[in-house]
Amino acid sequence: MLLNADAKGVFPIAPTPFFEDGAIDYASLDRLMDFYHASGCTGVTVLGQLGEAAKLDAAEALQVASRAVARSHGMPVVVGVSAPGFAAMRALTHDVMALGAAGVMIAPPNTLRTDDQIVTYYRQAVEAIGDDVPFILQDYPLTFSVQMSVDVIRRIVTTLPSCVMLKHEDWPGLEKISALRRLVATGEMRHIAILCGNGGLFLNHELERGADGANTGYAFPDMLCDTVRLHTEGRRDEMHDLFDAHLPLLRYEQQPGVGLAVRKYVLARRGLLSHATQRRPASQLTPAAMAEVEGLLSRLAQKDPRALRVEV
């Protein structure tokens, strides 16, 4: 099943589970994949930035992708293949597509500064991996320091038919979504899927601006699925009420540097990860931070029982 421009719903960015000694915990990865399917996710992305892809060697990356595809329950699996050079990107792309991946995600290197440099980079990336491989364009200037204007995205989409999705993570970025959808409405750009990141921090309004769903982490991907479903069903107040209940934890988890530690802590607390371990170098939650997360979860549980601790 290849990814296409009609993708919708939630494609969670799966964390890579580790044991306390840093070895990959494949049983927890299986549990995550089962949970994503049961929660109504429409796809999964592995080896994303918060999947700690840079801490894996080439063989490990391929093993994680292979395990996710094997346990996907028919969900399309997207693999992050961003790399300093095109040789490594090409090799991983060809390997994961042979395993049954649905497509790949490519982030821009932080050396790109001009519009022409950005467009040229993605043209060369497609030449490297092949124009038969669907790819997601990742637009995350807060992390990658690459500013993609609406026109740059239009140029990439127009000149590279294998670009089927934008992972929208600009911030503020609501006007960008509206502008892109206007280009489609006026025939100046073909339709592509727009799924949003930033931990889901603005998902409720992004959906109302024309986004198709979420492609992000957050420790409650099932809530993201519910948010998209309620929006699709036109139940606006219920959508905002659910989202607002989670917003304090969403905000806390989105802190630079400690966000993944928070996410893994909560996923372990929910019984989905055996350990909250990150592979080194890594940040860890202090006792004070753990207490703050517990306080947020306690308050959230008053409105959403999924925040209650799961004993495993």
Side-chain angles (χ1 to χ4, degrees):
M1 182 189 302
L2 292 180
L3 193 66
N4 62 52
D6 295 322
K8 298 179 183 295
V10 175
F11 282 59
I13 305 294
T16 302
F18 296 106
F19 291 111
E20 292 175 301
D21 63 359
I24 298 172
D25 177 4
Y26 290 106
S28 286
L29 180 57
D30 288 347
R31 199 155 50 243
L32 277 173
M33 295 299 294
D34 294 346
F35 176 75
Y36 292 147
H37 178 254
S39 298
C41 295
T42 49
V44 178
T45 300
V46 297
L47 304 182
Q49 183 192 13
L50 291 183
E52 300 180 75
K55 301 175 186 178
L56 305 179
D57 64 31
E60 289 176 323
L62 193 57
Q63 288 166 358
V64 168
S66 176
R67 189 71 168 236
V69 170
R71 196 80 173 201
S72 65
H73 301 280
M75 296 180 295
V77 175
V78 173
V79 181
V81 296
S82 304
F86 289 134
M89 182 186 297
R90 179 191 302 112
L92 181 57
T93 296
H94 288 180
D95 285 343
V96 299
M97 294 304 292
L99 290 170
V104 299
M105 182 167 66
I106 304 174
N110 61 10
T111 54
L112 305 180
R113 288 294 175 265
T114 69
D115 290 358
D116 286 345
Q117 287 174 341
I118 298 169
V119 175
T120 298
Y121 175 82
Y122 278 96
R123 176 179 57 78
Q124 293 177 346
V126 169
E127 290 173 354
I129 68 174
D131 60 9
D132 58 336
V133 178
F135 79 92
I136 297 175
L137 172 64
Q138 187 171 8
D139 178 19
Y140 197 4
L142 278 81
T143 291
F144 301 124
S145 303
V146 176
Q147 298 290 335
M148 293 190 195
S149 67
V150 169
D151 190 60
V152 162
I153 295 171
R154 181 194 63 78
R155 288 171 62 187
I156 292 171
V157 171
T158 300
T159 59
L160 300 173
S162 55
C163 179
V164 297
M165 183 189 294
L166 172 68
K167 182 178 182 185
H168 170 80
E169 300 191 89
D170 204 347
W171 178 2
L174 295 175
E175 296 301 334
K176 179 181 279 189
I177 295 174
S178 293
L180 289 168
R181 288 312 191 205
R182 282 195 296 270
L183 289 177
V184 174
T186 58
E188 298 171 77
M189 187 182 86
R190 64 181 172 84
H191 172 83
I192 61 169
I194 298 178
L195 270 65
C196 300
N198 275 323
L201 198 56
F202 304 99
L203 180 60
N204 54 343
H205 294 299
E206 288 165 338
L207 291 168
E208 294 184 331
R209 291 294 189 111
D212 297 298
N215 181 201
T216 194
Y218 190 46
F220 288 86
D222 37 350
M223 184 282 289
L224 301 179
C225 291
D226 288 345
T227 298
V228 173
R229 175 179 55 80
L230 291 169
H231 167 76
T232 302
E233 294 173 356
R235 296 158 66 181
R236 186 174 188 272
D237 288 343
E238 292 176 68
M239 177 194 73
H240 283 288
D241 287 345
L242 174 63
F243 186 85
D244 289 350
H246 281 259
L247 189 53
L249 182 61
L250 277 167
R251 180 189 65 177
Y252 196 92
E253 193 190 276
Q254 195 60 14
Q255 294 178 93
V258 300
L260 182 58
V262 174
R263 184 174 303 165
K264 282 194 159 184
Y265 176 84
V266 177
L267 287 171
R269 191 182 182 277
R270 298 191 72 190
L272 296 169
L273 299 182
S274 298
H275 304 275
T277 304
Q278 299 173 70
R279 186 174 276 186
R280 295 180 179 179
S283 60
Q284 294 187 355
L285 295 184
T286 64
M290 289 184 189
E292 288 165 348
V293 173
E294 288 294 338
L296 289 166
L297 289 167
S298 177
R299 291 179 61 82
L300 176 58
Q302 297 174 28
K303 298 182 179 180
D304 189 338
R306 290 176 292 198
L308 294 170
R309 182 183 295 274
V310 175
E311 300 297 337
V312 293

mmCIF file with all atom_site columns, all heavy atoms in Angstrom, residues 103-127:
data_model
loop_
_atom_site.group_PDB
_atom_site.id
_atom_site.type_symbol
_atom_site.label_atom_id
_atom_site.label_alt_id
_atom_site.label_comp_id
_atom_site.label_asym_id
_atom_site.label_entity_id
_atom_site.label_seq_id
_atom_site.pdbx_PDB_ins_code
_atom_site.Cartn_x
_atom_site.Cartn_y
_atom_site.Cartn_z
_atom_site.occupancy
_atom_site.B_iso_or_equiv
_atom_site.pdbx_formal_charge
_atom_site.auth_seq_id
_atom_site.auth_comp_id
_atom_site.auth_asym_id
_atom_site.auth_atom_id
_atom_site.pdbx_PDB_model_num
ATOM 1   N N   . GLY A 1 103 ? 5.983  4.704  2.108   1.00 0.00 ? 103 GLY A N   1
ATOM 2   C CA  . GLY A 1 103 ? 6.618  5.924  1.637   1.00 0.00 ? 103 GLY A CA  1
ATOM 3   C C   . GLY A 1 103 ? 7.661  6.355  2.633   1.00 0.00 ? 103 GLY A C   1
ATOM 4   O O   . GLY A 1 103 ? 7.912  5.669  3.642   1.00 0.00 ? 103 GLY A O   1
ATOM 5   N N   . VAL A 1 104 ? 8.277  7.505  2.373   1.00 0.00 ? 104 VAL A N   1
ATOM 6   C CA  . VAL A 1 104 ? 9.343  7.995  3.239   1.00 0.00 ? 104 VAL A CA  1
ATOM 7   C C   . VAL A 1 104 ? 9.095  9.460  3.580   1.00 0.00 ? 104 VAL A C   1
ATOM 8   O O   . VAL A 1 104 ? 8.349  10.159 2.894   1.00 0.00 ? 104 VAL A O   1
ATOM 9   C CB  . VAL A 1 104 ? 10.734 7.834  2.581   1.00 0.00 ? 104 VAL A CB  1
ATOM 10  C CG1 . VAL A 1 104 ? 11.017 6.366  2.294   1.00 0.00 ? 104 VAL A CG1 1
ATOM 11  C CG2 . VAL A 1 104 ? 10.855 8.672  1.306   1.00 0.00 ? 104 VAL A CG2 1
ATOM 12  N N   . MET A 1 105 ? 9.733  9.896  4.654   1.00 0.00 ? 105 MET A N   1
ATOM 13  C CA  . MET A 1 105 ? 9.661  11.296 5.065   1.00 0.00 ? 105 MET A CA  1
ATOM 14  C C   . MET A 1 105 ? 11.059 11.896 4.990   1.00 0.00 ? 105 MET A C   1
ATOM 15  O O   . MET A 1 105 ? 12.024 11.290 5.462   1.00 0.00 ? 105 MET A O   1
ATOM 16  C CB  . MET A 1 105 ? 9.099  11.421 6.483   1.00 0.00 ? 105 MET A CB  1
ATOM 17  C CG  . MET A 1 105 ? 8.950  12.867 6.953   1.00 0.00 ? 105 MET A CG  1
ATOM 18  S SD  . MET A 1 105 ? 7.956  13.005 8.466   1.00 0.00 ? 105 MET A SD  1
ATOM 19  C CE  . MET A 1 105 ? 9.015  12.156 9.651   1.00 0.00 ? 105 MET A CE  1
ATOM 20  N N   . ILE A 1 106 ? 11.151 13.093 4.400   1.00 0.00 ? 106 ILE A N   1
ATOM 21  C CA  . ILE A 1 106 ? 12.444 13.736 4.203   1.00 0.00 ? 106 ILE A CA  1
ATOM 22  C C   . ILE A 1 106 ? 12.409 15.135 4.802   1.00 0.00 ? 106 ILE A C   1
ATOM 23  O O   . ILE A 1 106 ? 11.592 15.975 4.395   1.00 0.00 ? 106 ILE A O   1
ATOM 24  C CB  . ILE A 1 106 ? 12.807 13.824 2.710   1.00 0.00 ? 106 ILE A CB  1
ATOM 25  C CG1 . ILE A 1 106 ? 12.779 12.437 2.064   1.00 0.00 ? 106 ILE A CG1 1
ATOM 26  C CG2 . ILE A 1 106 ? 14.180 14.476 2.533   1.00 0.00 ? 106 ILE A CG2 1
ATOM 27  C CD1 . ILE A 1 106 ? 12.993 12.465 0.553   1.00 0.00 ? 106 ILE A CD1 1
ATOM 28  N N   . ALA A 1 107 ? 13.295 15.373 5.770   1.00 0.00 ? 107 ALA A N   1
ATOM 29  C CA  . ALA A 1 107 ? 13.452 16.692 6.376   1.00 0.00 ? 107 ALA A CA  1
ATOM 30  C C   . ALA A 1 107 ? 14.594 17.425 5.682   1.00 0.00 ? 107 ALA A C   1
ATOM 31  O O   . ALA A 1 107 ? 15.555 16.801 5.216   1.00 0.00 ? 107 ALA A O   1
ATOM 32  C CB  . ALA A 1 107 ? 13.743 16.565 7.866   1.00 0.00 ? 107 ALA A CB  1
ATOM 33  N N   . PRO A 1 108 ? 14.546 18.737 5.609   1.00 0.00 ? 108 PRO A N   1
ATOM 34  C CA  . PRO A 1 108 ? 15.625 19.484 4.959   1.00 0.00 ? 108 PRO A CA  1
ATOM 35  C C   . PRO A 1 108 ? 16.830 19.638 5.875   1.00 0.00 ? 108 PRO A C   1
ATOM 36  O O   . PRO A 1 108 ? 16.673 19.808 7.089   1.00 0.00 ? 108 PRO A O   1
ATOM 37  C CB  . PRO A 1 108 ? 14.975 20.843 4.691   1.00 0.00 ? 108 PRO A CB  1
ATOM 38  C CG  . PRO A 1 108 ? 13.998 21.006 5.811   1.00 0.00 ? 108 PRO A CG  1
ATOM 39  C CD  . PRO A 1 108 ? 13.467 19.624 6.094   1.00 0.00 ? 108 PRO A CD  1
ATOM 40  N N   . PRO A 1 109 ? 18.055 19.603 5.334   1.00 0.00 ? 109 PRO A N   1
ATOM 41  C CA  . PRO A 1 109 ? 19.229 19.902 6.157   1.00 0.00 ? 109 PRO A CA  1
ATOM 42  C C   . PRO A 1 109 ? 19.244 21.374 6.532   1.00 0.00 ? 109 PRO A C   1
ATOM 43  O O   . PRO A 1 109 ? 18.746 22.224 5.781   1.00 0.00 ? 109 PRO A O   1
ATOM 44  C CB  . PRO A 1 109 ? 20.398 19.542 5.240   1.00 0.00 ? 109 PRO A CB  1
ATOM 45  C CG  . PRO A 1 109 ? 19.862 19.696 3.850   1.00 0.00 ? 109 PRO A CG  1
ATOM 46  C CD  . PRO A 1 109 ? 18.409 19.301 3.936   1.00 0.00 ? 109 PRO A CD  1
ATOM 47  N N   . ASN A 1 110 ? 19.826 21.689 7.681   1.00 0.00 ? 110 ASN A N   1
ATOM 48  C CA  . ASN A 1 110 ? 19.759 23.072 8.164   1.00 0.00 ? 110 ASN A CA  1
ATOM 49  C C   . ASN A 1 110 ? 20.697 24.026 7.432   1.00 0.00 ? 110 ASN A C   1
ATOM 50  O O   . ASN A 1 110 ? 20.800 25.193 7.797   1.00 0.00 ? 110 ASN A O   1
ATOM 51  C CB  . ASN A 1 110 ? 20.035 23.123 9.675   1.00 0.00 ? 110 ASN A CB  1
ATOM 52  C CG  . ASN A 1 110 ? 21.417 22.598 10.038  1.00 0.00 ? 110 ASN A CG  1
ATOM 53  O OD1 . ASN A 1 110 ? 22.257 22.368 9.187   1.00 0.00 ? 110 ASN A OD1 1
ATOM 54  N ND2 . ASN A 1 110 ? 21.627 22.401 11.338  1.00 0.00 ? 110 ASN A ND2 1
ATOM 55  N N   . THR A 1 111 ? 21.353 23.547 6.385   1.00 0.00 ? 111 THR A N   1
ATOM 56  C CA  . THR A 1 111 ? 22.231 24.407 5.588   1.00 0.00 ? 111 THR A CA  1
ATOM 57  C C   . THR A 1 111 ? 21.485 25.159 4.493   1.00 0.00 ? 111 THR A C   1
ATOM 58  O O   . THR A 1 111 ? 22.051 26.065 3.868   1.00 0.00 ? 111 THR A O   1
ATOM 59  C CB  . THR A 1 111 ? 23.341 23.561 4.940   1.00 0.00 ? 111 THR A CB  1
ATOM 60  O OG1 . THR A 1 111 ? 22.729 22.494 4.198   1.00 0.00 ? 111 THR A OG1 1
ATOM 61  C CG2 . THR A 1 111 ? 24.264 22.986 5.996   1.00 0.00 ? 111 THR A CG2 1
ATOM 62  N N   . LEU A 1 112 ? 20.236 24.801 4.238   1.00 0.00 ? 112 LEU A N   1
ATOM 63  C CA  . LEU A 1 112 ? 19.475 25.424 3.154   1.00 0.00 ? 112 LEU A CA  1
ATOM 64  C C   . LEU A 1 112 ? 18.979 26.798 3.586   1.00 0.00 ? 112 LEU A C   1
ATOM 65  O O   . LEU A 1 112 ? 18.391 26.939 4.653   1.00 0.00 ? 112 LEU A O   1
ATOM 66  C CB  . LEU A 1 112 ? 18.297 24.539 2.755   1.00 0.00 ? 112 LEU A CB  1
ATOM 67  C CG  . LEU A 1 112 ? 18.633 23.093 2.358   1.00 0.00 ? 112 LEU A CG  1
ATOM 68  C CD1 . LEU A 1 112 ? 17.359 22.347 1.997   1.00 0.00 ? 112 LEU A CD1 1
ATOM 69  C CD2 . LEU A 1 112 ? 19.620 23.064 1.206   1.00 0.00 ? 112 LEU A CD2 1
ATOM 70  N N   . ARG A 1 113 ? 19.200 27.798 2.735   1.00 0.00 ? 113 ARG A N   1
ATOM 71  C CA  . ARG A 1 113 ? 18.804 29.157 3.093   1.00 0.00 ? 113 ARG A CA  1
ATOM 72  C C   . ARG A 1 113 ? 17.887 29.822 2.064   1.00 0.00 ? 113 ARG A C   1
ATOM 73  O O   . ARG A 1 113 ? 16.981 30.549 2.422   1.00 0.00 ? 113 ARG A O   1
ATOM 74  C CB  . ARG A 1 113 ? 20.066 30.028 3.289   1.00 0.00 ? 113 ARG A CB  1
ATOM 75  C CG  . ARG A 1 113 ? 20.827 29.677 4.564   1.00 0.00 ? 113 ARG A CG  1
ATOM 76  C CD  . ARG A 1 113 ? 20.011 30.016 5.809   1.00 0.00 ? 113 ARG A CD  1
ATOM 77  N NE  . ARG A 1 113 ? 20.655 29.590 7.046   1.00 0.00 ? 113 ARG A NE  1
ATOM 78  C CZ  . ARG A 1 113 ? 20.408 28.446 7.668   1.00 0.00 ? 113 ARG A CZ  1
ATOM 79  N NH1 . ARG A 1 113 ? 19.515 27.592 7.157   1.00 0.00 ? 113 ARG A NH1 1
ATOM 80  N NH2 . ARG A 1 113 ? 21.019 28.130 8.791   1.00 0.00 ? 113 ARG A NH2 1
ATOM 81  N N   . THR A 1 114 ? 18.111 29.605 0.788   1.00 0.00 ? 114 THR A N   1
ATOM 82  C CA  . THR A 1 114 ? 17.309 30.283 -0.223  1.00 0.00 ? 114 THR A CA  1
ATOM 83  C C   . THR A 1 114 ? 16.222 29.349 -0.746  1.00 0.00 ? 114 THR A C   1
ATOM 84  O O   . THR A 1 114 ? 16.309 28.122 -0.622  1.00 0.00 ? 114 THR A O   1
ATOM 85  C CB  . THR A 1 114 ? 18.174 30.747 -1.402  1.00 0.00 ? 114 THR A CB  1
ATOM 86  O OG1 . THR A 1 114 ? 18.639 29.603 -2.142  1.00 0.00 ? 114 THR A OG1 1
ATOM 87  C CG2 . THR A 1 114 ? 19.378 31.560 -0.904  1.00 0.00 ? 114 THR A CG2 1
ATOM 88  N N   . ASP A 1 115 ? 15.220 29.951 -1.388  1.00 0.00 ? 115 ASP A N   1
ATOM 89  C CA  . ASP A 1 115 ? 14.144 29.153 -1.970  1.00 0.00 ? 115 ASP A CA  1
ATOM 90  C C   . ASP A 1 115 ? 14.679 28.177 -3.004  1.00 0.00 ? 115 ASP A C   1
ATOM 91  O O   . ASP A 1 115 ? 14.282 26.999 -3.039  1.00 0.00 ? 115 ASP A O   1
ATOM 92  C CB  . ASP A 1 115 ? 13.109 30.078 -2.619  1.00 0.00 ? 115 ASP A CB  1
ATOM 93  C CG  . ASP A 1 115 ? 12.305 30.869 -1.595  1.00 0.00 ? 115 ASP A CG  1
ATOM 94  O OD1 . ASP A 1 115 ? 12.521 30.664 -0.382  1.00 0.00 ? 115 ASP A OD1 1
ATOM 95  O OD2 . ASP A 1 115 ? 11.471 31.692 -2.015  1.00 0.00 ? 115 ASP A OD2 1
ATOM 96  N N   . ASP A 1 116 ? 15.585 28.646 -3.856  1.00 0.00 ? 116 ASP A N   1
ATOM 97  C CA  . ASP A 1 116 ? 16.119 27.777 -4.894  1.00 0.00 ? 116 ASP A CA  1
ATOM 98  C C   . ASP A 1 116 ? 16.902 26.608 -4.298  1.00 0.00 ? 116 ASP A C   1
ATOM 99  O O   . ASP A 1 116 ? 16.851 25.487 -4.822  1.00 0.00 ? 116 ASP A O   1
ATOM 100 C CB  . ASP A 1 116 ? 17.019 28.574 -5.846  1.00 0.00 ? 116 ASP A CB  1
ATOM 101 C CG  . ASP A 1 116 ? 16.219 29.469 -6.784  1.00 0.00 ? 116 ASP A CG  1
ATOM 102 O OD1 . ASP A 1 116 ? 14.996 29.265 -6.902  1.00 0.00 ? 116 ASP A OD1 1
ATOM 103 O OD2 . ASP A 1 116 ? 16.827 30.367 -7.400  1.00 0.00 ? 116 ASP A OD2 1
ATOM 104 N N   . GLN A 1 117 ? 17.638 26.857 -3.206  1.00 0.00 ? 117 GLN A N   1
ATOM 105 C CA  . GLN A 1 117 ? 18.372 25.778 -2.557  1.00 0.00 ? 117 GLN A CA  1
ATOM 106 C C   . GLN A 1 117 ? 17.426 24.702 -2.035  1.00 0.00 ? 117 GLN A C   1
ATOM 107 O O   . GLN A 1 117 ? 17.705 23.504 -2.142  1.00 0.00 ? 117 GLN A O   1
ATOM 108 C CB  . GLN A 1 117 ? 19.218 26.330 -1.404  1.00 0.00 ? 117 GLN A CB  1
ATOM 109 C CG  . GLN A 1 117 ? 20.443 27.110 -1.834  1.00 0.00 ? 117 GLN A CG  1
ATOM 110 C CD  . GLN A 1 117 ? 21.154 27.751 -0.649  1.00 0.00 ? 117 GLN A CD  1
ATOM 111 O OE1 . GLN A 1 117 ? 20.567 27.915 0.430   1.00 0.00 ? 117 GLN A OE1 1
ATOM 112 N NE2 . GLN A 1 117 ? 22.408 28.129 -0.844  1.00 0.00 ? 117 GLN A NE2 1
ATOM 113 N N   . ILE A 1 118 ? 16.312 25.114 -1.463  1.00 0.00 ? 118 ILE A N   1
ATOM 114 C CA  . ILE A 1 118 ? 15.342 24.156 -0.922  1.00 0.00 ? 118 ILE A CA  1
ATOM 115 C C   . ILE A 1 118 ? 14.741 23.312 -2.037  1.00 0.00 ? 118 ILE A C   1
ATOM 116 O O   . ILE A 1 118 ? 14.686 22.072 -1.960  1.00 0.00 ? 118 ILE A O   1
ATOM 117 C CB  . ILE A 1 118 ? 14.241 24.886 -0.140  1.00 0.00 ? 118 ILE A CB  1
ATOM 118 C CG1 . ILE A 1 118 ? 14.834 25.643 1.056   1.00 0.00 ? 118 ILE A CG1 1
ATOM 119 C CG2 . ILE A 1 118 ? 13.179 23.896 0.335   1.00 0.00 ? 118 ILE A CG2 1
ATOM 120 C CD1 . ILE A 1 118 ? 13.863 26.601 1.719   1.00 0.00 ? 118 ILE A CD1 1
ATOM 121 N N   . VAL A 1 119 ? 14.301 23.963 -3.104  1.00 0.00 ? 119 VAL A N   1
ATOM 122 C CA  . VAL A 1 119 ? 13.689 23.238 -4.221  1.00 0.00 ? 119 VAL A CA  1
ATOM 123 C C   . VAL A 1 119 ? 14.701 22.292 -4.864  1.00 0.00 ? 119 VAL A C   1
ATOM 124 O O   . VAL A 1 119 ? 14.388 21.130 -5.172  1.00 0.00 ? 119 VAL A O   1
ATOM 125 C CB  . VAL A 1 119 ? 13.121 24.223 -5.261  1.00 0.00 ? 119 VAL A CB  1
ATOM 126 C CG1 . VAL A 1 119 ? 12.594 23.464 -6.481  1.00 0.00 ? 119 VAL A CG1 1
ATOM 127 C CG2 . VAL A 1 119 ? 12.001 25.071 -4.641  1.00 0.00 ? 119 VAL A CG2 1
ATOM 128 N N   . THR A 1 120 ? 15.931 22.762 -5.033  1.00 0.00 ? 120 THR A N   1
ATOM 129 C CA  . THR A 1 120 ? 16.978 21.926 -5.635  1.00 0.00 ? 120 THR A CA  1
ATOM 130 C C   . THR A 1 120 ? 17.280 20.720 -4.762  1.00 0.00 ? 120 THR A C   1
ATOM 131 O O   . THR A 1 120 ? 17.472 19.604 -5.277  1.00 0.00 ? 120 THR A O   1
ATOM 132 C CB  . THR A 1 120 ? 18.260 22.747 -5.857  1.00 0.00 ? 120 THR A CB  1
ATOM 133 O OG1 . THR A 1 120 ? 17.985 23.808 -6.775  1.00 0.00 ? 120 THR A OG1 1
ATOM 134 C CG2 . THR A 1 120 ? 19.387 21.876 -6.410  1.00 0.00 ? 120 THR A CG2 1
ATOM 135 N N   . TYR A 1 121 ? 17.314 20.914 -3.452  1.00 0.00 ? 121 TYR A N   1
ATOM 136 C CA  . TYR A 1 121 ? 17.605 19.795 -2.554  1.00 0.00 ? 121 TYR A CA  1
ATOM 137 C C   . TYR A 1 121 ? 16.561 18.691 -2.722  1.00 0.00 ? 121 TYR A C   1
ATOM 138 O O   . TYR A 1 121 ? 16.910 17.502 -2.841  1.00 0.00 ? 121 TYR A O   1
ATOM 139 C CB  . TYR A 1 121 ? 17.629 20.260 -1.099  1.00 0.00 ? 121 TYR A CB  1
ATOM 140 C CG  . TYR A 1 121 ? 17.816 19.116 -0.132  1.00 0.00 ? 121 TYR A CG  1
ATOM 141 C CD1 . TYR A 1 121 ? 19.085 18.602 0.127   1.00 0.00 ? 121 TYR A CD1 1
ATOM 142 C CD2 . TYR A 1 121 ? 16.724 18.513 0.500   1.00 0.00 ? 121 TYR A CD2 1
ATOM 143 C CE1 . TYR A 1 121 ? 19.266 17.522 0.983   1.00 0.00 ? 121 TYR A CE1 1
ATOM 144 C CE2 . TYR A 1 121 ? 16.899 17.434 1.352   1.00 0.00 ? 121 TYR A CE2 1
ATOM 145 C CZ  . TYR A 1 121 ? 18.172 16.950 1.597   1.00 0.00 ? 121 TYR A CZ  1
ATOM 146 O OH  . TYR A 1 121 ? 18.342 15.883 2.433   1.00 0.00 ? 121 TYR A OH  1
ATOM 147 N N   . TYR A 1 122 ? 15.292 19.049 -2.743  1.00 0.00 ? 122 TYR A N   1
ATOM 148 C CA  . TYR A 1 122 ? 14.263 18.015 -2.854  1.00 0.00 ? 122 TYR A CA  1
ATOM 149 C C   . TYR A 1 122 ? 14.246 17.393 -4.247  1.00 0.00 ? 122 TYR A C   1
ATOM 150 O O   . TYR A 1 122 ? 13.965 16.188 -4.386  1.00 0.00 ? 122 TYR A O   1
ATOM 151 C CB  . TYR A 1 122 ? 12.902 18.578 -2.454  1.00 0.00 ? 122 TYR A CB  1
ATOM 152 C CG  . TYR A 1 122 ? 12.735 18.577 -0.950  1.00 0.00 ? 122 TYR A CG  1
ATOM 153 C CD1 . TYR A 1 122 ? 13.011 19.704 -0.200  1.00 0.00 ? 122 TYR A CD1 1
ATOM 154 C CD2 . TYR A 1 122 ? 12.365 17.417 -0.286  1.00 0.00 ? 122 TYR A CD2 1
ATOM 155 C CE1 . TYR A 1 122 ? 12.904 19.689 1.189   1.00 0.00 ? 122 TYR A CE1 1
ATOM 156 C CE2 . TYR A 1 122 ? 12.255 17.378 1.088   1.00 0.00 ? 122 TYR A CE2 1
ATOM 157 C CZ  . TYR A 1 122 ? 12.525 18.521 1.823   1.00 0.00 ? 122 TYR A CZ  1
ATOM 158 O OH  . TYR A 1 122 ? 12.435 18.480 3.192   1.00 0.00 ? 122 TYR A OH  1
ATOM 159 N N   . ARG A 1 123 ? 14.586 18.153 -5.273  1.00 0.00 ? 123 ARG A N   1
ATOM 160 C CA  . ARG A 1 123 ? 14.705 17.557 -6.600  1.00 0.00 ? 123 ARG A CA  1
ATOM 161 C C   . ARG A 1 123 ? 15.820 16.520 -6.612  1.00 0.00 ? 123 ARG A C   1
ATOM 162 O O   . ARG A 1 123 ? 15.652 15.407 -7.144  1.00 0.00 ? 123 ARG A O   1
ATOM 163 C CB  . ARG A 1 123 ? 14.971 18.643 -7.647  1.00 0.00 ? 123 ARG A CB  1
ATOM 164 C CG  . ARG A 1 123 ? 15.211 18.078 -9.051  1.00 0.00 ? 123 ARG A CG  1
ATOM 165 C CD  . ARG A 1 123 ? 15.436 19.188 -10.068 1.00 0.00 ? 123 ARG A CD  1
ATOM 166 N NE  . ARG A 1 123 ? 16.543 20.047 -9.707  1.00 0.00 ? 123 ARG A NE  1
ATOM 167 C CZ  . ARG A 1 123 ? 17.835 19.733 -9.875  1.00 0.00 ? 123 ARG A CZ  1
ATOM 168 N NH1 . ARG A 1 123 ? 18.185 18.554 -10.387 1.00 0.00 ? 123 ARG A NH1 1
ATOM 169 N NH2 . ARG A 1 123 ? 18.781 20.593 -9.531  1.00 0.00 ? 123 ARG A NH2 1
ATOM 170 N N   . GLN A 1 124 ? 16.951 16.855 -6.007  1.00 0.00 ? 124 GLN A N   1
ATOM 171 C CA  . GLN A 1 124 ? 18.061 15.912 -5.962  1.00 0.00 ? 124 GLN A CA  1
ATOM 172 C C   . GLN A 1 124 ? 17.745 14.704 -5.079  1.00 0.00 ? 124 GLN A C   1
ATOM 173 O O   . GLN A 1 124 ? 18.182 13.581 -5.375  1.00 0.00 ? 124 GLN A O   1
ATOM 174 C CB  . GLN A 1 124 ? 19.320 16.622 -5.473  1.00 0.00 ? 124 GLN A CB  1
ATOM 175 C CG  . GLN A 1 124 ? 19.847 17.662 -6.455  1.00 0.00 ? 124 GLN A CG  1
ATOM 176 C CD  . GLN A 1 124 ? 21.057 18.412 -5.928  1.00 0.00 ? 124 GLN A CD  1
ATOM 177 O OE1 . GLN A 1 124 ? 21.368 18.358 -4.729  1.00 0.00 ? 124 GLN A OE1 1
ATOM 178 N NE2 . GLN A 1 124 ? 21.733 19.141 -6.806  1.00 0.00 ? 124 GLN A NE2 1
ATOM 179 N N   . ALA A 1 125 ? 16.989 14.923 -4.001  1.00 0.00 ? 125 ALA A N   1
ATOM 180 C CA  . ALA A 1 125 ? 16.591 13.805 -3.141  1.00 0.00 ? 125 ALA A CA  1
ATOM 181 C C   . ALA A 1 125 ? 15.728 12.814 -3.922  1.00 0.00 ? 125 ALA A C   1
ATOM 182 O O   . ALA A 1 125 ? 15.917 11.592 -3.817  1.00 0.00 ? 125 ALA A O   1
ATOM 183 C CB  . ALA A 1 125 ? 15.841 14.311 -1.920  1.00 0.00 ? 125 ALA A CB  1
ATOM 184 N N   . VAL A 1 126 ? 14.792 13.323 -4.717  1.00 0.00 ? 126 VAL A N   1
ATOM 185 C CA  . VAL A 1 126 ? 13.942 12.450 -5.524  1.00 0.00 ? 126 VAL A CA  1
ATOM 186 C C   . VAL A 1 126 ? 14.768 11.722 -6.576  1.00 0.00 ? 126 VAL A C   1
ATOM 187 O O   . VAL A 1 126 ? 14.544 10.531 -6.845  1.00 0.00 ? 126 VAL A O   1
ATOM 188 C CB  . VAL A 1 126 ? 12.797 13.260 -6.166  1.00 0.00 ? 126 VAL A CB  1
ATOM 189 C CG1 . VAL A 1 126 ? 12.067 12.434 -7.229  1.00 0.00 ? 126 VAL A CG1 1
ATOM 190 C CG2 . VAL A 1 126 ? 11.807 13.704 -5.089  1.00 0.00 ? 126 VAL A CG2 1
ATOM 191 N N   . GLU A 1 127 ? 15.741 12.402 -7.174  1.00 0.00 ? 127 GLU A N   1
ATOM 192 C CA  . GLU A 1 127 ? 16.625 11.733 -8.126  1.00 0.00 ? 127 GLU A CA  1
ATOM 193 C C   . GLU A 1 127 ? 17.382 10.590 -7.447  1.00 0.00 ? 127 GLU A C   1
ATOM 194 O O   . GLU A 1 127 ? 17.637 9.548  -8.062  1.00 0.00 ? 127 GLU A O   1
ATOM 195 C CB  . GLU A 1 127 ? 17.611 12.739 -8.717  1.00 0.00 ? 127 GLU A CB  1
ATOM 196 C CG  . GLU A 1 127 ? 16.960 13.749 -9.669  1.00 0.00 ? 127 GLU A CG  1
ATOM 197 C CD  . GLU A 1 127 ? 17.934 14.839 -10.096 1.00 0.00 ? 127 GLU A CD  1
ATOM 198 O OE1 . GLU A 1 127 ? 19.070 14.875 -9.568  1.00 0.00 ? 127 GLU A OE1 1
ATOM 199 O OE2 . GLU A 1 127 ? 17.550 15.663 -10.949 1.00 0.00 ? 127 GLU A OE2 1
#
